[in-house]
Amino acid sequence: MIDRVLLTVLLLLHVAGCAQRPASPRVVLISVDGLWPGDLARAESLGVRLPMLDSLVRAGAFAAGVIGSVPSVTFPSHTTMVTGVRPARHGIYSNQRPWFPTDTGPDARAWYWEAHRVRVPGLFEAARAAGKRTAAVYWPATAHHPGIDYNIPDAWDPRAPDSVFAALRRLGTPWLLDSLGAPAGVGETSDSLRAHWTAEIIRRWDPDFVLLHLLDIDHWKHETGPAGDSVWAALPRTDRHIGQVLAARHRPRPTTVIVTSDHGFLPYERVLRPGVLLVRAGLVTLDASGRVTDWRAGVVGNGGSAMFLPRDSADPAIAGRIRAAIPDSLVGPGRPIRAVWSRDSLRALGGDPRALWAIDMNEGFYTTLGFRGDLLSS
């Protein structure tokens, strides 16, 4: 699916505290990955009941959409949410870190897991400075974050052969998963576990700022399309998970609840492999087995867009060679590419400052990585 447009549901609920001494307010921020406002209307038309989300809409405020980050994929978007700045400033330019075509091994596809890669302070740091306690469950770009008191990051370790739970213990708050009764052996995480962990953190430690990232909707939209039957089956489960978290209380507190998302989805039928363009232009050289032996430019794919990064940004000819590799016959209405963005355009949009060019796809088209195979495929 094309992760191109960030569409957000913003729902605010103020719950009056009933303690004798006024309790300090709390914020609960829940990101439902891949959700967009149209899903709620479509669910209603299909008879899919979402009592928790519906009650939040009635009691609070609803936003039909926002202007997204560039690119509007999971890790940049979530980092923009908590820093208030675009990727060019916060440094999380994509889901995966840039890689060189000759890279091999597990780190060749490493994601922006580590918190130290975020270049600006955000809400976690502001909360810590104000003496507030924070919790984050599966929030992107938070591994080893020093400012989160209760942290289970959206991260994994491709270099380690052990389970995801062992990796989360290393990358987050080390003692937290054991305290929550998480499995010690091999297994998979789920939205059910993530919601349970978040609810338990609220019950036991009552943090002031709580963030939860739910992934089930995004998974099924990728698997079955943005309107597949599995999406409508997953929505009520997500609604129950949100209700489970909001029902968890250590003590009554005024609470602001924000339910939001990181991007929307568009369907696609055809796939473009921009790396093939670099091979055809002589910017990437392959041996007989298809292994990269030399290169002058690489590609970072983001589904509905792709960015071209140079090996040597000081090469005065490289920008022109990359642009010449993108034929105008691929650009325009009804063609794969909607627009070609220059470096200046990317900077104005707040995208990766290292990229010299980017392509934005038309609806119905998607980008994928690789330097061999057909340029366009179904």
Side-chain angles (χ1 to χ4, degrees), residues 201-348:
I201 289 170
I202 293 173
R203 288 191 188 98
R204 297 188 194 186
W205 298 291
D206 197 26
D208 305 287
F209 183 38
V210 181
L211 294 88
L212 169 62
H213 177 207
L214 296 172
L215 286 74
D216 205 17
I217 298 297
D218 177 82
H219 168 77
W220 287 113
K221 287 190 176 186
H222 278 290
E223 290 292 316
T224 66
D229 290 343
S230 296
V231 174
W232 312 118
L235 264 171
R237 293 195 299 269
T238 298
D239 191 76
R240 289 193 294 272
H241 295 325
I242 294 171
Q244 177 183 0
V245 170
L246 300 187
R249 292 189 183 187
H250 174 85
R251 60 190 172 113
R253 298 179 67 176
T255 300
T256 297
V257 178
I258 305 171
V259 178
T260 187
S261 185
D262 51 353
H263 58 74
F265 276 79
L266 291 172
Y268 72 91
E269 295 81 35
R270 304 199 73 188
V271 175
L272 176 76
R273 187 172 282 104
V276 172
L277 295 175
L278 298 182
V279 174
R280 291 180 179 179
L283 294 168
V284 173
T285 304
L286 307 178
D287 63 16
S289 65
R291 185 176 62 89
V292 175
T293 58
D294 192 19
W295 66 285
R296 294 289 178 270
V299 180
V300 177
N302 296 295
S305 64
M307 298 188 184
F308 296 89
L309 276 65
R311 181 174 185 173
D312 180 6
S313 58
D315 181 350
I318 191 63
R321 292 188 65 187
I322 293 173
R323 180 61 185 89
I326 307 168
D328 291 338
S329 60
L330 293 178
V331 184
R335 299 174 183 178
I337 300 172
R338 185 184 69 86
V340 181
W341 293 334
S342 67
R343 187 176 197 176
D344 288 343
S345 296
L346 284 170
R347 285 179 172 174

